[in-house]
Amino acid sequence: MKRQIHAGASLLSALFLATFWTSTLFTELFRSAAAVVEVKQLIAWALIVFVPLMLLTAGTGFSMGAGKHHPLLKLKRRRTPFIGLNGALILVPSALFLAMRATAGQFDSLFYSVQMLELLAGATNLTLIGLNIRDGLTLSRLHRAVPVAK
């Protein structure tokens, strides 16, 4: 059951992040300032679901990997803290800051500097989460291939 929860939470986390990233980029490039405000507000509200989902992903992952020493698991363990710190120190504060600035109509150089930082941090986390999903799928296939001793 824990494996299914972890898989579902990690895929949903990746989808949330990809949606945040692509909607931000698309809206900034092709839509009005009103649309940017709406997207920034929606992203800020979505953090209520996204942050616990990321915590669930990390918690179930660390729980399942406790005491195991596979090289792919070690890679996932090294990436996960960076994903969390990137999210907690850059992505969440940036999303809230950008939502406040957009709502106030403050589309200045500070807004766009933070927007670029958020896009870079988001692309980094998407890449790292994608690598973790890839390695998790590989571990899952290996786990199923090993016969269970009775």
Side-chain angles (χ1 to χ4, degrees):
M1 178 68 136
K2 197 182 296 184
R3 189 169 279 123
Q4 289 86 359
I5 291 170
H6 179 72
S10 64
L11 287 174
L12 281 173
S13 295
L15 286 173
F16 261 92
L17 193 53
T19 300
F20 295 164
W21 199 89
T22 56
S23 61
T24 292
L25 192 60
F26 177 78
T27 306
E28 287 288 351
L29 293 175
F30 303 113
R31 301 299 309 260
S32 66
V36 171
V37 171
E38 186 174 356
V39 165
K40 291 296 157 198
Q41 289 173 343
L42 289 170
I43 290 171
W45 281 107
L47 293 177
I48 294 169
V49 175
F50 177 67
V51 170
L53 198 56
M54 289 294 293
L55 293 171
L56 180 63
T57 301
T60 55
F62 278 115
S63 172
M64 288 187 317
K68 297 178 183 168
H69 304 288
H70 193 281
L72 288 178
L73 203 49
K74 289 179 182 180
L75 283 172
K76 286 176 60 115
R77 280 189 194 120
R78 274 188 282 204
R79 289 183 202 119
T80 299
F82 185 80
I83 292 167
L85 287 171
N86 194 19
L89 299 177
I90 298 174
L91 292 173
V92 170
S94 294
L96 298 173
F97 174 83
L98 292 168
M100 288 187 297
R101 296 289 280 213
T103 301
Q106 295 177 309
F107 298 103
D108 54 8
S109 60
L110 181 57
F111 176 90
Y112 288 108
S113 295
V114 173
Q115 183 64 83
M116 289 304 298
L117 175 64
E118 183 189 50
L119 286 169
L120 286 170
T124 300
N125 266 14
L126 267 172
T127 301
L128 294 174
I129 289 169
L131 291 170
N132 274 1
I133 289 171
R134 179 201 63 194
D135 291 346
L137 290 170
T138 301
L139 287 167
S140 180
R141 281 191 296 277
L142 292 173
H143 181 264
R144 281 183 295 209
V146 174
V148 178
K150 293 185 180 186

